[in-house]
Amino acid sequence: MIEYRNLRIALLGAGNVGAQVASLLLEHGDELASRAGAGLELVGVAVRNVDAERTPTIPRHLLTTDAEQLILGADIVIELMGGLEPARTLILQAINSGADVITGNKALLATHGAELFDAAEQVGAQLYYEAAVGGAIPIIRPLRDSLAGDRVKRILAIVNGTTNFILDLMDREDASLESALATATELGYAEADPTADIEGYDAAQKVSILASLAFHTNIPLEAVYREGITKVTIEQVDAARKAGYVVKLLAICERLTDGETGIDGVSARVYPALIPVTHPLAAVHGANNAVFIEAEAAGNLMFYGAGAGGLQTASAVLGDLVSAARRHVIGGPGVAESTHANLPVLPIAHVTTRYQITLEVEDQPGVLAVIATLFSAHNVSVETLTQSAAGSGDAPATATLVIGTHEATEAALAATVTALETNQVVRSVVSVLRVEGL
Ligand code: NAP
C-alpha cells in the first residue's frame, strides 16, 4: 500500500457544482489520490445555511458557515460560491496563506482576474479555472498548455447554453423569442432573471477569459463589445435559414491589424451573428457549448460538450484538483498567467466583418442603382443582392432587398445604415446582422 502525503482540501460553496464536487471527492477519493500522487482530504465545506437540503447530501460534520476559518491551513481551496464578494476576499486570503486555488467563477475572473493572478504570482501559488468557461469542456488547459507553441488567430465560440437553447428553438421549431425563453425557464435552462444570459453579459465574461489566454494579453471585461439576443426576431431566423445560415450568439476574439492605424491588436466581442449551416458551430444544438479555434499551425480545432450542469462542471473542477495536487507533490512555484504580448484592444468601429442587411424599399425603376451607389459611397462593397415580394393593393408597391456585403468596417457599415435610414427610396432598414465563420 502506497503512503501518500495528505493534502487538505477546503471547499467554499455546496450548490449545483459544489455539492457534486464534494460527493465525487468523498466517493472517488482513493482513485483520485492515486492519480494525483497525494491523499485528498476534504476538511470542510463552507455554506450559508448548514441546515439546507443538498443533493447529493454532504456529511453534516463537514459543513460550516465560517469560510475564513476553513481556509486556514488548507493546501488547496476550491471556490464555488459564485459572485464577486466574499469570493474575491476569500481567494486572496487563501493565496496569501499559501494555498493553491481552484475556481469556476467567471464573473470574478473577468472582473478581478488581473488582481488575483498577480497575488498568486507574488507568492508562487497557482490559480486554476477550467470550470469558468464551457462547464465540462476542456478549453482552458488546451489554450494555456497544448496551444502554447502555436499562434491563435481567432476563436468563435458558443459559450452560453441558455441563448443557444433559445435560438435553436426559434430555428428548429419556429418559436418566438418570448416563447423560447419561457420554455428555457420552464426546463431550468434560464434563470428567473435571465438578463446575464440574454443580454450577453455571461458570454462577455467568458470571452474576456478566452481572449486573455489566447492572445497573452489581459483583456478586461469593459473592453469586450457586447450585444445580446433580445432584438433577434423570428423573421430574421427564418430569413437566415432560407439563405443557408443559422443565427447564434457568438463570443469572438481575434488578432487583427487596425486598418486605419496599422496597429496590431485584439478584438473581443459578443453579438448574435449569422454563420453558414455548413460551419461546425451551426451543428451545436440545445444548451450545448462549443469553442472553435483557428490556429496558425494547428489549423481549425473544435471543443464541444456540456457548457453547464453541476455534475458536468464538477468534472472540470476535479481535473483541476488533480493537477493542483500533483503540483503540490512536485513543489516549486506556480506558472504565472502569460500576458507578455500586451496587445491593445481594438474598438468595435475598427473591426471588419461581413453583414447581411434587409431593407424595405420603394418598388420603382432605378432603386437598385440608388442603393448600390449609397453602399459604395461608404466603402461597403455589395456581394449579393436578392429582391422579393412587391406590395399590392392601393399602397405604393414595396420590395424587400436582402443585401450581403464583402468585409467592411463597423464604422463604414454604421455610416451606410444611417444613410439608408434617411434615404427617400428606403421605407425601412428591417435588420442588420453580422456574418461570421465564412
Ligand atoms: P449555487 O448553486 O448558487 O451555489 C452557491 C453555493 O455557495 C451555495 O452552497 C451557497 O450556500 C454558497 N455560498 C454563497 N455565498 C456564500 C457565502 N457568503 N458564504 C458561504 N457560502 C456561500 O452556485 P453554482 O451553480 O454551484 O455555481 C458555483 C460557481 O460555479 C459560480 O461561480 C458559477 O458561475 C460557476 N459555474 C457554474 C456552473 C453551473 O452549471 N452551475 C457551470 C460553470 C461554472 P447555501 O447552499 O447555504 O446557500
Side-chain angles (χ1 to χ4, degrees):
M1 179 93 178
I2 303 170
E3 283 289 325
Y4 292 122
R5 173 184 163 196
N6 213 40
L7 295 176
R8 294 165 59 82
I9 317 298
L11 176 60
L12 312 180
N16 294 319
V17 186
Q20 296 289 352
V21 167
S23 166
L24 291 173
L25 186 51
L26 292 171
E27 207 176 314
H28 303 157
D30 289 346
E31 196 180 335
L32 294 177
S34 308
R35 294 178 195 172
L40 303 170
E41 184 195 354
L42 182 61
V43 291
V45 183
V47 292
R48 273 180 302 219
N49 176 6
V50 291
D51 296 318
E53 283 213 5
R54 300 182 190 281
T55 316
T57 53
I58 294 173
R60 176 66 178 78
H61 73 274
L62 288 177
L63 296 170
T64 175
T65 53
D66 194 343
E68 288 194 28
Q69 182 64 32
L70 181 60
I71 287 171
L72 295 174
D75 297 298
I76 298 171
V77 172
I78 305 176
E79 184 277 308
L80 293 168
M81 301 162 85
L84 300 186
E85 288 293 356
R88 172 184 154 274
T89 303
L90 290 168
I91 289 179
L92 288 172
Q93 281 172 5
I95 288 170
N96 289 324
S97 68
D100 277 348
V101 173
I102 296 163
T103 180
N105 195 332
K106 59 242 162 191
L108 180 63
L109 289 174
T111 315
H112 295 297
E115 179 191 17
L116 300 178
F117 290 121
D118 278 355
E121 195 177 351
Q122 297 280 327
V123 297
Q126 178 96 46
L127 190 57
Y128 298 83
Y129 52 100
E130 186 60 73
V133 182
I137 305 171
I139 187 61
I140 301 301
R141 208 165 278 114
L143 271 174
R144 194 182 48 203
D145 299 335
S146 320
L147 289 167
D150 206 334
R151 281 187 183 157
V152 174
K153 293 190 292 186
R154 182 156 74 142
I155 297 178
L156 297 177
I158 295 171
V159 284
N160 183 268
T162 308
T163 46
N164 201 59
F165 178 88
I166 291 170
L167 293 172
D168 196 36
L169 213 59
M170 291 173 75
D171 183 42
R172 299 213 283 182
E173 296 187 17
D174 274 335
S176 67
L177 180 78
E178 293 71 25
S179 82
L181 173 59
T183 308
T185 311
E186 212 174 289
L187 296 177
Y189 291 120
E191 308 213 358
D193 177 1
T195 312
D197 293 320
I198 62 175
E199 293 291 2
Y201 292 105
D202 173 79
Q205 290 166 355
K206 290 167 178 167
V207 82
S208 103
I209 295 171
L210 291 179
S212 300
L213 264 177
F215 302 109
H216 306 275
T217 293
N218 176 38
I219 311 281
L221 183 56
E222 314 81 74
V224 178
Y225 176 82
R226 177 194 54 78
E227 282 175 30
I229 64 162
T230 48
K231 291 188 186 138
V232 176
T233 64
I234 188 65
E235 289 77 18
Q236 285 176 328
V237 173
D238 274 350
R241 192 188 316 113
K242 284 174 192 143
Y245 294 102
V246 57
V247 181
K248 296 284 187 193
L249 182 70
L250 292 184
I252 303 168
C253 51
E254 64 185 324
R255 202 166 164 164
L256 287 176
T257 303
D258 190 318
E260 273 181 32
T261 60
I263 292 172
D264 253 358
V266 175
S267 156
R269 52 198 201 266
V270 171
Y271 44 60
L274 303 179
I275 51 169
V277 286
T278 48
H279 193 283
L281 286 173
V284 178
H285 296 297
N288 283 307
N289 282 195
V291 181
F292 186 83
I293 301 178
E294 299 168 20
E296 238 173 66
N300 295 343
L301 306 165
M302 186 155 106
F303 299 80
Y304 166 87
L311 184 60
Q312 293 85 342
T313 307
S315 160
V317 174
L318 290 173
D320 278 350
L321 179 59
V322 171
S323 297
R326 284 180 184 149
R327 202 186 79 70
H328 264 266
V329 172
I330 296 164
V335 181
E337 286 298 288
S338 157
T339 53
H340 68 87
N342 204 14
L343 295 163
V345 182
L346 300 179
I348 187 75
H350 295 194
V351 167
T352 56
T353 188
R354 295 167 188 243
Y355 305 85
Q356 194 175 89
I357 300 131
T358 306
L359 303 175
E360 256 185 32
V361 297
E362 307 269 331
D363 193 11
Q364 292 169 7
V367 165
L368 290 185
V370 172
I371 301 289
T373 309
L374 195 147
F375 271 79
S376 86
H378 292 89
N379 285 328
V380 180
S381 153
V382 172
E383 186 185 27
T384 58
L385 190 152
T386 51
Q387 177 175 0
S388 60
S392 60
D394 296 337
T398 61
T400 301
L401 298 185
V402 179
I403 296 165
T405 75
H406 286 290
E407 287 212 332
T409 64
E410 287 273 337
L413 196 275
T416 311
V417 170
T418 305
L420 285 166
E421 282 168 343
T422 50
N423 192 287
Q424 285 186 343
V425 301
V426 178
R427 292 268 176 88
S428 74
V429 178
V430 179
S431 99
V432 179
L433 278 171
R434 298 165 182 97
V435 184
E436 299 284 356
L438 285 171

